[in-house]
């Protein structure tokens, strides 16, 4: 007697924008739980008066369908907007190497696209990006701090890529560093 195949877990990525970060997170996490979905990952950031929440939930196809159906009513009731996309699990890349690039510079509007183009040209995948601007207290000039978590493809010669990145940063007058990713909590 054979056992029936296990149902394949599916994923839903929800991006939501709202004014109240705690309510936004609470409403969507509660809805996931009530619809028998598990929260796999979530990121919340505040941008001025608006909060952006990205939530990945997992579940059976019918649980995800219930979650999708519930979202329009929840977004209307709690005054937020939501977009939903079905997703697959990220494929395993055991030979890829996670690295972090830190960049500080006087703000220019082209810095982020130049950084992205550098990594595209070197077949490096972007995993996450955080970028903030602030007024330097000493000069009053606008500064930019960016942190990019990237994945180097298998076979990348790390010393060569690091040299390329530092030369690139010097050419754009960026203070930059690229180093292996390390867990925050050892």
């Amino acid at each position: 007697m054979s056992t029936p195949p296990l149902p394949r877990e599916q994923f839903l990525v929800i991006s939501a924008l709202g004014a109240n970060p705690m309510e936004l997170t609470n409403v969507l996490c509660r809805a996931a739980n009530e619809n028998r979905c598990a929260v796999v990952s979530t990121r919340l950031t505040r941008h001025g008066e608006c909060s952006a929440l990205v939530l990945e939930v997992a579940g059976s196809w019918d649980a995800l369908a219930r979650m999708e159906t519930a979202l329009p009513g929840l977004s209307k009731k709690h005054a937020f907007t939501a977009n939903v996309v079905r997703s697959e699990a990220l494929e395993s890349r055991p030979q890829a190497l996670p690295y972090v690039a830190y960049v500080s510079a006087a703000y220019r509007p082209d810095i982020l696209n130049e950084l992205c183009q550098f990594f595209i040209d070197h077949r490096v995948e972007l995993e996450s990006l955080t970028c903030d601007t602030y007024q330097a207290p000493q000069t009053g000039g606008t500064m930019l701090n960016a942190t990019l978590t990237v994945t180097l493809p298998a076979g990348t010669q790390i010393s060569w890529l690091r040299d390329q990145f530092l030369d690139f940063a010097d050419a754009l007058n960026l203070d930059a560093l690229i180093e292996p990713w390390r867990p925050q909590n050892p």
Side-chain angles (χ1 to χ4, degrees):
M1 175 178 226
S2 67
T3 59
L6 293 174
R8 193 166 146 238
E9 194 166 53
Q10 298 179 13
F11 300 91
L12 196 63
V13 178
I14 303 164
S15 61
L17 299 173
N20 185 331
M22 193 62 76
E23 180 183 23
L24 183 63
T25 306
N26 183 43
V27 166
L28 289 174
C29 288
R30 178 181 292 136
N33 187 46
E34 289 172 352
N35 289 293
R36 295 192 321 248
C37 296
V39 174
V40 175
S41 68
T42 183
R43 303 286 184 275
L44 176 100
T45 54
R46 294 182 80 159
H47 305 276
E49 293 180 351
C50 192
S51 296
L53 176 69
V54 177
L55 191 73
E56 180 184 20
V57 298
S60 63
W61 70 269
D62 59 322
L64 295 181
R66 280 193 304 276
M67 183 75 182
E68 284 177 301
T69 302
L71 282 172
L74 289 171
S75 65
K76 185 174 182 179
K77 179 179 178 182
H78 297 280
F80 66 85
T81 60
N83 290 311
V84 181
V85 175
R86 291 275 178 143
S87 180
E88 296 290 327
L90 188 60
E91 69 181 56
S92 178
R93 301 168 290 174
Q95 299 301 313
L97 300 172
Y99 267 69
V100 180
Y102 302 99
V103 176
S104 294
Y107 175 79
R108 290 192 327 265
D110 65 333
I111 292 174
L112 284 180
N113 62 293
E114 291 289 342
L115 285 165
C116 289
Q117 190 62 53
F118 172 85
F119 288 119
I120 288 169
D121 292 345
H122 291 85
R123 299 182 318 114
V124 172
E125 292 184 41
L126 181 64
E127 299 295 326
S128 68
L129 166 67
T130 303
C131 179
D132 291 302
T133 58
Y134 64 95
Q135 298 299 101
Q138 297 81 1
T139 64
T142 303
M143 300 294 293
L144 173 135
N145 276 341
T147 303
L148 296 90
T149 304
V150 297
T151 306
L152 308 184
T156 301
Q157 186 169 5
I158 297 165
S159 60
W160 177 83
L161 182 66
R162 182 179 289 120
D163 290 343
Q164 293 294 306
F165 181 70
L166 295 177
D167 289 346
F168 161 82
D170 285 345
L172 292 178
N173 200 26
L174 309 176
D175 185 14
L177 171 70
I178 187 167
E179 64 182 17
W181 177 87
R182 292 177 179 84
Q184 298 301 312
N185 298 322

PDB file of all heavy atoms in Angstrom, residues 142-177:
ATOM      1  N   THR A 142      23.489  66.426   2.084  1.00  0.00           N
ATOM      2  CA  THR A 142      22.716  65.188   2.083  1.00  0.00           C
ATOM      3  C   THR A 142      23.639  64.013   1.797  1.00  0.00           C
ATOM      4  O   THR A 142      24.384  64.020   0.823  1.00  0.00           O
ATOM      5  CB  THR A 142      21.580  65.245   1.030  1.00  0.00           C
ATOM      6  OG1 THR A 142      20.766  66.382   1.302  1.00  0.00           O
ATOM      7  CG2 THR A 142      20.731  63.992   1.070  1.00  0.00           C
ATOM      8  N   MET A 143      23.565  63.009   2.678  1.00  0.00           N
ATOM      9  CA  MET A 143      24.400  61.818   2.575  1.00  0.00           C
ATOM     10  C   MET A 143      23.523  60.606   2.281  1.00  0.00           C
ATOM     11  O   MET A 143      22.329  60.606   2.582  1.00  0.00           O
ATOM     12  CB  MET A 143      25.167  61.584   3.880  1.00  0.00           C
ATOM     13  CG  MET A 143      26.095  62.712   4.277  1.00  0.00           C
ATOM     14  SD  MET A 143      27.475  62.923   3.143  1.00  0.00           S
ATOM     15  CE  MET A 143      28.383  61.420   3.423  1.00  0.00           C
ATOM     16  N   LEU A 144      24.134  59.582   1.709  1.00  0.00           N
ATOM     17  CA  LEU A 144      23.441  58.335   1.402  1.00  0.00           C
ATOM     18  C   LEU A 144      24.204  57.182   2.045  1.00  0.00           C
ATOM     19  O   LEU A 144      25.427  57.138   1.977  1.00  0.00           O
ATOM     20  CB  LEU A 144      23.393  58.127  -0.113  1.00  0.00           C
ATOM     21  CG  LEU A 144      22.850  56.789  -0.597  1.00  0.00           C
ATOM     22  CD1 LEU A 144      21.877  57.005  -1.729  1.00  0.00           C
ATOM     23  CD2 LEU A 144      23.962  55.870  -1.037  1.00  0.00           C
ATOM     24  N   ASN A 145      23.471  56.295   2.697  1.00  0.00           N
ATOM     25  CA  ASN A 145      24.016  55.035   3.191  1.00  0.00           C
ATOM     26  C   ASN A 145      23.214  53.922   2.553  1.00  0.00           C
ATOM     27  O   ASN A 145      21.985  53.923   2.626  1.00  0.00           O
ATOM     28  CB  ASN A 145      23.889  54.920   4.714  1.00  0.00           C
ATOM     29  CG  ASN A 145      25.013  55.592   5.446  1.00  0.00           C
ATOM     30  OD1 ASN A 145      26.062  55.850   4.887  1.00  0.00           O
ATOM     31  ND2 ASN A 145      24.783  55.872   6.713  1.00  0.00           N
ATOM     32  N   ALA A 146      23.893  52.958   1.939  1.00  0.00           N
ATOM     33  CA  ALA A 146      23.223  51.822   1.305  1.00  0.00           C
ATOM     34  C   ALA A 146      23.898  50.534   1.753  1.00  0.00           C
ATOM     35  O   ALA A 146      25.124  50.484   1.882  1.00  0.00           O
ATOM     36  CB  ALA A 146      23.268  51.940  -0.217  1.00  0.00           C
ATOM     37  N   THR A 147      23.079  49.526   1.986  1.00  0.00           N
ATOM     38  CA  THR A 147      23.571  48.192   2.307  1.00  0.00           C
ATOM     39  C   THR A 147      22.909  47.232   1.339  1.00  0.00           C
ATOM     40  O   THR A 147      21.674  47.151   1.279  1.00  0.00           O
ATOM     41  CB  THR A 147      23.226  47.804   3.757  1.00  0.00           C
ATOM     42  OG1 THR A 147      23.765  48.787   4.637  1.00  0.00           O
ATOM     43  CG2 THR A 147      23.782  46.426   4.102  1.00  0.00           C
ATOM     44  N   LEU A 148      23.713  46.527   0.568  1.00  0.00           N
ATOM     45  CA  LEU A 148      23.209  45.571  -0.413  1.00  0.00           C
ATOM     46  C   LEU A 148      23.677  44.176  -0.018  1.00  0.00           C
ATOM     47  O   LEU A 148      24.884  43.953   0.128  1.00  0.00           O
ATOM     48  CB  LEU A 148      23.730  45.886  -1.813  1.00  0.00           C
ATOM     49  CG  LEU A 148      23.310  47.212  -2.429  1.00  0.00           C
ATOM     50  CD1 LEU A 148      24.313  48.297  -2.080  1.00  0.00           C
ATOM     51  CD2 LEU A 148      23.192  47.075  -3.915  1.00  0.00           C
ATOM     52  N   THR A 149      22.752  43.263   0.164  1.00  0.00           N
ATOM     53  CA  THR A 149      23.110  41.865   0.377  1.00  0.00           C
ATOM     54  C   THR A 149      23.003  41.200  -0.985  1.00  0.00           C
ATOM     55  O   THR A 149      21.963  41.278  -1.641  1.00  0.00           O
ATOM     56  CB  THR A 149      22.168  41.194   1.384  1.00  0.00           C
ATOM     57  OG1 THR A 149      22.199  41.946   2.599  1.00  0.00           O
ATOM     58  CG2 THR A 149      22.601  39.759   1.658  1.00  0.00           C
ATOM     59  N   VAL A 150      24.096  40.582  -1.415  1.00  0.00           N
ATOM     60  CA  VAL A 150      24.169  40.005  -2.756  1.00  0.00           C
ATOM     61  C   VAL A 150      24.615  38.549  -2.666  1.00  0.00           C
ATOM     62  O   VAL A 150      25.142  38.110  -1.648  1.00  0.00           O
ATOM     63  CB  VAL A 150      25.136  40.805  -3.661  1.00  0.00           C
ATOM     64  CG1 VAL A 150      24.642  42.235  -3.870  1.00  0.00           C
ATOM     65  CG2 VAL A 150      26.545  40.813  -3.093  1.00  0.00           C
ATOM     66  N   THR A 151      24.393  37.817  -3.739  1.00  0.00           N
ATOM     67  CA  THR A 151      24.821  36.426  -3.823  1.00  0.00           C
ATOM     68  C   THR A 151      25.735  36.279  -5.026  1.00  0.00           C
ATOM     69  O   THR A 151      25.320  36.516  -6.159  1.00  0.00           O
ATOM     70  CB  THR A 151      23.601  35.485  -3.965  1.00  0.00           C
ATOM     71  OG1 THR A 151      22.702  35.748  -2.891  1.00  0.00           O
ATOM     72  CG2 THR A 151      24.029  34.044  -3.912  1.00  0.00           C
ATOM     73  N   LEU A 152      26.969  35.903  -4.747  1.00  0.00           N
ATOM     74  CA  LEU A 152      27.947  35.708  -5.818  1.00  0.00           C
ATOM     75  C   LEU A 152      27.743  34.331  -6.425  1.00  0.00           C
ATOM     76  O   LEU A 152      27.601  33.347  -5.696  1.00  0.00           O
ATOM     77  CB  LEU A 152      29.372  35.813  -5.273  1.00  0.00           C
ATOM     78  CG  LEU A 152      29.725  37.047  -4.443  1.00  0.00           C
ATOM     79  CD1 LEU A 152      31.205  37.012  -4.076  1.00  0.00           C
ATOM     80  CD2 LEU A 152      29.373  38.317  -5.150  1.00  0.00           C
ATOM     81  N   PRO A 153      27.739  34.236  -7.747  1.00  0.00           N
ATOM     82  CA  PRO A 153      27.569  32.914  -8.367  1.00  0.00           C
ATOM     83  C   PRO A 153      28.758  32.000  -8.079  1.00  0.00           C
ATOM     84  O   PRO A 153      29.877  32.468  -7.811  1.00  0.00           O
ATOM     85  CB  PRO A 153      27.457  33.231  -9.862  1.00  0.00           C
ATOM     86  CG  PRO A 153      27.974  34.607 -10.032  1.00  0.00           C
ATOM     87  CD  PRO A 153      27.898  35.310  -8.714  1.00  0.00           C
ATOM     88  N   ALA A 154      28.491  30.713  -8.137  1.00  0.00           N
ATOM     89  CA  ALA A 154      29.552  29.730  -7.919  1.00  0.00           C
ATOM     90  C   ALA A 154      30.687  29.987  -8.912  1.00  0.00           C
ATOM     91  O   ALA A 154      30.456  30.326 -10.066  1.00  0.00           O
ATOM     92  CB  ALA A 154      28.994  28.322  -8.100  1.00  0.00           C
ATOM     93  N   GLY A 155      31.906  29.844  -8.458  1.00  0.00           N
ATOM     94  CA  GLY A 155      33.062  30.018  -9.334  1.00  0.00           C
ATOM     95  C   GLY A 155      33.566  31.446  -9.427  1.00  0.00           C
ATOM     96  O   GLY A 155      34.552  31.700 -10.117  1.00  0.00           O
ATOM     97  N   THR A 156      32.914  32.387  -8.757  1.00  0.00           N
ATOM     98  CA  THR A 156      33.376  33.773  -8.798  1.00  0.00           C
ATOM     99  C   THR A 156      34.701  33.890  -8.060  1.00  0.00           C
ATOM    100  O   THR A 156      34.840  33.391  -6.945  1.00  0.00           O
ATOM    101  CB  THR A 156      32.347  34.707  -8.120  1.00  0.00           C
ATOM    102  OG1 THR A 156      31.101  34.599  -8.786  1.00  0.00           O
ATOM    103  CG2 THR A 156      32.817  36.150  -8.135  1.00  0.00           C
ATOM    104  N   GLN A 157      35.678  34.530  -8.705  1.00  0.00           N
ATOM    105  CA  GLN A 157      36.940  34.765  -8.029  1.00  0.00           C
ATOM    106  C   GLN A 157      36.751  35.996  -7.145  1.00  0.00           C
ATOM    107  O   GLN A 157      36.653  37.131  -7.626  1.00  0.00           O
ATOM    108  CB  GLN A 157      38.075  34.974  -9.013  1.00  0.00           C
ATOM    109  CG  GLN A 157      39.403  35.064  -8.311  1.00  0.00           C
ATOM    110  CD  GLN A 157      40.569  35.008  -9.254  1.00  0.00           C
ATOM    111  OE1 GLN A 157      40.411  34.985 -10.472  1.00  0.00           O
ATOM    112  NE2 GLN A 157      41.758  35.006  -8.679  1.00  0.00           N
ATOM    113  N   ILE A 158      36.681  35.756  -5.860  1.00  0.00           N
ATOM    114  CA  ILE A 158      36.286  36.781  -4.900  1.00  0.00           C
ATOM    115  C   ILE A 158      37.258  37.957  -4.876  1.00  0.00           C
ATOM    116  O   ILE A 158      36.838  39.116  -4.876  1.00  0.00           O
ATOM    117  CB  ILE A 158      36.109  36.159  -3.503  1.00  0.00           C
ATOM    118  CG1 ILE A 158      34.961  35.137  -3.554  1.00  0.00           C
ATOM    119  CG2 ILE A 158      35.831  37.214  -2.456  1.00  0.00           C
ATOM    120  CD1 ILE A 158      34.906  34.203  -2.384  1.00  0.00           C
ATOM    121  N   SER A 159      38.551  37.695  -4.876  1.00  0.00           N
ATOM    122  CA  SER A 159      39.517  38.799  -4.810  1.00  0.00           C
ATOM    123  C   SER A 159      39.407  39.698  -6.044  1.00  0.00           C
ATOM    124  O   SER A 159      39.504  40.924  -5.937  1.00  0.00           O
ATOM    125  CB  SER A 159      40.941  38.270  -4.656  1.00  0.00           C
ATOM    126  OG  SER A 159      41.284  37.454  -5.754  1.00  0.00           O
ATOM    127  N   TRP A 160      39.182  39.091  -7.204  1.00  0.00           N
ATOM    128  CA  TRP A 160      39.026  39.872  -8.436  1.00  0.00           C
ATOM    129  C   TRP A 160      37.767  40.744  -8.355  1.00  0.00           C
ATOM    130  O   TRP A 160      37.808  41.933  -8.675  1.00  0.00           O
ATOM    131  CB  TRP A 160      38.934  38.931  -9.642  1.00  0.00           C
ATOM    132  CG  TRP A 160      38.690  39.666 -10.929  1.00  0.00           C
ATOM    133  CD1 TRP A 160      39.619  40.271 -11.707  1.00  0.00           C
ATOM    134  CD2 TRP A 160      37.426  39.870 -11.559  1.00  0.00           C
ATOM    135  NE1 TRP A 160      39.017  40.851 -12.796  1.00  0.00           N
ATOM    136  CE2 TRP A 160      37.658  40.627 -12.724  1.00  0.00           C
ATOM    137  CE3 TRP A 160      36.116  39.507 -11.247  1.00  0.00           C
ATOM    138  CZ2 TRP A 160      36.640  41.015 -13.572  1.00  0.00           C
ATOM    139  CZ3 TRP A 160      35.098  39.894 -12.087  1.00  0.00           C
ATOM    140  CH2 TRP A 160      35.368  40.640 -13.242  1.00  0.00           C
ATOM    141  N   LEU A 161      36.644  40.158  -7.903  1.00  0.00           N
ATOM    142  CA  LEU A 161      35.400  40.922  -7.808  1.00  0.00           C
ATOM    143  C   LEU A 161      35.533  42.050  -6.781  1.00  0.00           C
ATOM    144  O   LEU A 161      35.077  43.168  -7.019  1.00  0.00           O
ATOM    145  CB  LEU A 161      34.216  40.016  -7.450  1.00  0.00           C
ATOM    146  CG  LEU A 161      32.872  40.740  -7.376  1.00  0.00           C
ATOM    147  CD1 LEU A 161      32.465  41.242  -8.760  1.00  0.00           C
ATOM    148  CD2 LEU A 161      31.800  39.850  -6.804  1.00  0.00           C
ATOM    149  N   ARG A 162      36.168  41.761  -5.664  1.00  0.00           N
ATOM    150  CA  ARG A 162      36.363  42.798  -4.642  1.00  0.00           C
ATOM    151  C   ARG A 162      37.182  43.956  -5.225  1.00  0.00           C
ATOM    152  O   ARG A 162      36.836  45.124  -5.038  1.00  0.00           O
ATOM    153  CB  ARG A 162      37.061  42.210  -3.417  1.00  0.00           C
ATOM    154  CG  ARG A 162      37.243  43.248  -2.306  1.00  0.00           C
ATOM    155  CD  ARG A 162      37.905  42.691  -1.060  1.00  0.00           C
ATOM    156  NE  ARG A 162      36.989  41.798  -0.379  1.00  0.00           N
ATOM    157  CZ  ARG A 162      37.235  40.505  -0.146  1.00  0.00           C
ATOM    158  NH1 ARG A 162      38.364  39.958  -0.549  1.00  0.00           N
ATOM    159  NH2 ARG A 162      36.368  39.770   0.501  1.00  0.00           N
ATOM    160  N   ASP A 163      38.256  43.651  -5.949  1.00  0.00           N
ATOM    161  CA  ASP A 163      39.067  44.704  -6.575  1.00  0.00           C
ATOM    162  C   ASP A 163      38.251  45.503  -7.587  1.00  0.00           C
ATOM    163  O   ASP A 163      38.343  46.733  -7.639  1.00  0.00           O
ATOM    164  CB  ASP A 163      40.302  44.110  -7.260  1.00  0.00           C
ATOM    165  CG  ASP A 163      41.335  43.582  -6.275  1.00  0.00           C
ATOM    166  OD1 ASP A 163      41.263  43.948  -5.071  1.00  0.00           O
ATOM    167  OD2 ASP A 163      42.204  42.798  -6.713  1.00  0.00           O
ATOM    168  N   GLN A 164      37.461  44.807  -8.394  1.00  0.00           N
ATOM    169  CA  GLN A 164      36.601  45.479  -9.371  1.00  0.00           C
ATOM    170  C   GLN A 164      35.625  46.424  -8.670  1.00  0.00           C
ATOM    171  O   GLN A 164      35.401  47.548  -9.120  1.00  0.00           O
ATOM    172  CB  GLN A 164      35.829  44.461 -10.213  1.00  0.00           C
ATOM    173  CG  GLN A 164      36.678  43.618 -11.129  1.00  0.00           C
ATOM    174  CD  GLN A 164      37.321  44.468 -12.211  1.00  0.00           C
ATOM    175  OE1 GLN A 164      36.648  45.194 -12.922  1.00  0.00           O
ATOM    176  NE2 GLN A 164      38.635  44.386 -12.317  1.00  0.00           N
ATOM    177  N   PHE A 165      35.018  45.943  -7.590  1.00  0.00           N
ATOM    178  CA  PHE A 165      34.040  46.743  -6.848  1.00  0.00           C
ATOM    179  C   PHE A 165      34.685  47.976  -6.233  1.00  0.00           C
ATOM    180  O   PHE A 165      34.147  49.081  -6.320  1.00  0.00           O
ATOM    181  CB  PHE A 165      33.357  45.891  -5.770  1.00  0.00           C
ATOM    182  CG  PHE A 165      32.327  46.652  -4.979  1.00  0.00           C
ATOM    183  CD1 PHE A 165      31.134  47.041  -5.560  1.00  0.00           C
ATOM    184  CD2 PHE A 165      32.563  46.987  -3.650  1.00  0.00           C
ATOM    185  CE1 PHE A 165      30.180  47.752  -4.842  1.00  0.00           C
ATOM    186  CE2 PHE A 165      31.618  47.693  -2.922  1.00  0.00           C
ATOM    187  CZ  PHE A 165      30.420  48.071  -3.522  1.00  0.00           C
ATOM    188  N   LEU A 166      35.854  47.812  -5.641  1.00  0.00           N
ATOM    189  CA  LEU A 166      36.532  48.954  -5.020  1.00  0.00           C
ATOM    190  C   LEU A 166      36.999  49.967  -6.069  1.00  0.00           C
ATOM    191  O   LEU A 166      36.910  51.178  -5.836  1.00  0.00           O
ATOM    192  CB  LEU A 166      37.686  48.474  -4.145  1.00  0.00           C
ATOM    193  CG  LEU A 166      37.248  47.648  -2.925  1.00  0.00           C
ATOM    194  CD1 LEU A 166      38.459  47.155  -2.149  1.00  0.00           C
ATOM    195  CD2 LEU A 166      36.294  48.427  -2.035  1.00  0.00           C
ATOM    196  N   ASP A 167      37.456  49.496  -7.220  1.00  0.00           N
ATOM    197  CA  ASP A 167      37.812  50.408  -8.320  1.00  0.00           C
ATOM    198  C   ASP A 167      36.581  51.170  -8.807  1.00  0.00           C
ATOM    199  O   ASP A 167      36.638  52.371  -9.059  1.00  0.00           O
ATOM    200  CB  ASP A 167      38.448  49.651  -9.484  1.00  0.00           C
ATOM    201  CG  ASP A 167      39.849  49.145  -9.159  1.00  0.00           C
ATOM    202  OD1 ASP A 167      40.447  49.598  -8.150  1.00  0.00           O
ATOM    203  OD2 ASP A 167      40.342  48.280  -9.925  1.00  0.00           O
ATOM    204  N   PHE A 168      35.475  50.462  -8.947  1.00  0.00           N
ATOM    205  CA  PHE A 168      34.205  51.065  -9.352  1.00  0.00           C
ATOM    206  C   PHE A 168      33.800  52.145  -8.343  1.00  0.00           C
ATOM    207  O   PHE A 168      33.431  53.261  -8.719  1.00  0.00           O
ATOM    208  CB  PHE A 168      33.145  49.960  -9.452  1.00  0.00           C
ATOM    209  CG  PHE A 168      31.740  50.438  -9.419  1.00  0.00           C
ATOM    210  CD1 PHE A 168      31.124  50.928 -10.560  1.00  0.00           C
ATOM    211  CD2 PHE A 168      31.000  50.380  -8.241  1.00  0.00           C
ATOM    212  CE1 PHE A 168      29.810  51.367 -10.531  1.00  0.00           C
ATOM    213  CE2 PHE A 168      29.679  50.813  -8.211  1.00  0.00           C
ATOM    214  CZ  PHE A 168      29.084  51.315  -9.354  1.00  0.00           C
ATOM    215  N   ALA A 169      33.870  51.814  -7.056  1.00  0.00           N
ATOM    216  CA  ALA A 169      33.489  52.765  -6.011  1.00  0.00           C
ATOM    217  C   ALA A 169      34.407  53.986  -6.020  1.00  0.00           C
ATOM    218  O   ALA A 169      33.938  55.122  -5.888  1.00  0.00           O
ATOM    219  CB  ALA A 169      33.508  52.081  -4.651  1.00  0.00           C
ATOM    220  N   ASP A 170      35.700  53.767  -6.199  1.00  0.00           N
ATOM    221  CA  ASP A 170      36.639  54.897  -6.259  1.00  0.00           C
ATOM    222  C   ASP A 170      36.323  55.811  -7.431  1.00  0.00           C
ATOM    223  O   ASP A 170      36.373  57.036  -7.308  1.00  0.00           O
ATOM    224  CB  ASP A 170      38.084  54.402  -6.376  1.00  0.00           C
ATOM    225  CG  ASP A 170      38.622  53.852  -5.070  1.00  0.00           C
ATOM    226  OD1 ASP A 170      38.006  54.104  -4.007  1.00  0.00           O
ATOM    227  OD2 ASP A 170      39.660  53.156  -5.114  1.00  0.00           O
ATOM    228  N   ALA A 171      35.985  55.236  -8.575  1.00  0.00           N
ATOM    229  CA  ALA A 171      35.665  56.033  -9.766  1.00  0.00           C
ATOM    230  C   ALA A 171      34.436  56.912  -9.539  1.00  0.00           C
ATOM    231  O   ALA A 171      34.334  57.998 -10.102  1.00  0.00           O
ATOM    232  CB  ALA A 171      35.461  55.122 -10.969  1.00  0.00           C
ATOM    233  N   LEU A 172      33.490  56.438  -8.701  1.00  0.00           N
ATOM    234  CA  LEU A 172      32.283  57.218  -8.420  1.00  0.00           C
ATOM    235  C   LEU A 172      32.387  58.026  -7.125  1.00  0.00           C
ATOM    236  O   LEU A 172      31.411  58.630  -6.692  1.00  0.00           O
ATOM    237  CB  LEU A 172      31.067  56.292  -8.336  1.00  0.00           C
ATOM    238  CG  LEU A 172      30.631  55.634  -9.635  1.00  0.00           C
ATOM    239  CD1 LEU A 172      29.447  54.713  -9.400  1.00  0.00           C
ATOM    240  CD2 LEU A 172      30.286  56.681 -10.685  1.00  0.00           C
ATOM    241  N   ASN A 173      33.575  58.005  -6.498  1.00  0.00           N
ATOM    242  CA  ASN A 173      33.810  58.707  -5.235  1.00  0.00           C
ATOM    243  C   ASN A 173      32.858  58.210  -4.131  1.00  0.00           C
ATOM    244  O   ASN A 173      32.252  58.988  -3.404  1.00  0.00           O
ATOM    245  CB  ASN A 173      33.692  60.222  -5.416  1.00  0.00           C
ATOM    246  CG  ASN A 173      34.377  60.969  -4.290  1.00  0.00           C
ATOM    247  OD1 ASN A 173      35.305  60.468  -3.670  1.00  0.00           O
ATOM    248  ND2 ASN A 173      33.887  62.168  -4.023  1.00  0.00           N
ATOM    249  N   LEU A 174      32.748  56.889  -4.011  1.00  0.00           N
ATOM    250  CA  LEU A 174      31.935  56.259  -2.979  1.00  0.00           C
ATOM    251  C   LEU A 174      32.853  55.641  -1.936  1.00  0.00           C
ATOM    252  O   LEU A 174      33.883  55.063  -2.280  1.00  0.00           O
ATOM    253  CB  LEU A 174      31.069  55.141  -3.575  1.00  0.00           C
ATOM    254  CG  LEU A 174      30.215  55.446  -4.799  1.00  0.00           C
ATOM    255  CD1 LEU A 174      29.526  54.177  -5.288  1.00  0.00           C
ATOM    256  CD2 LEU A 174      29.202  56.530  -4.481  1.00  0.00           C
ATOM    257  N   ASP A 175      32.483  55.744  -0.685  1.00  0.00           N
ATOM    258  CA  ASP A 175      33.179  55.008   0.366  1.00  0.00           C
ATOM    259  C   ASP A 175      32.477  53.657   0.427  1.00  0.00           C
ATOM    260  O   ASP A 175      31.293  53.581   0.768  1.00  0.00           O
ATOM    261  CB  ASP A 175      33.059  55.753   1.696  1.00  0.00           C
ATOM    262  CG  ASP A 175      33.866  55.108   2.802  1.00  0.00           C
ATOM    263  OD1 ASP A 175      34.722  54.243   2.500  1.00  0.00           O
ATOM    264  OD2 ASP A 175      33.638  55.467   3.972  1.00  0.00           O
ATOM    265  N   ALA A 176      33.162  52.575   0.054  1.00  0.00           N
ATOM    266  CA  ALA A 176      32.502  51.278  -0.094  1.00  0.00           C
ATOM    267  C   ALA A 176      33.348  50.151   0.457  1.00  0.00           C
ATOM    268  O   ALA A 176      34.577  50.244   0.531  1.00  0.00           O
ATOM    269  CB  ALA A 176      32.183  51.022  -1.559  1.00  0.00           C
ATOM    270  N   LEU A 177      32.648  49.090   0.812  1.00  0.00           N
ATOM    271  CA  LEU A 177      33.271  47.895   1.350  1.00  0.00           C
ATOM    272  C   LEU A 177      32.409  46.705   0.946  1.00  0.00           C
ATOM    273  O   LEU A 177      31.175  46.809   0.932  1.00  0.00           O
ATOM    274  CB  LEU A 177      33.325  48.007   2.884  1.00  0.00           C
ATOM    275  CG  LEU A 177      33.740  46.793   3.688  1.00  0.00           C
ATOM    276  CD1 LEU A 177      35.222  46.503   3.468  1.00  0.00           C
ATOM    277  CD2 LEU A 177      33.470  47.045   5.160  1.00  0.00           C
TER     278      LEU A 177
END
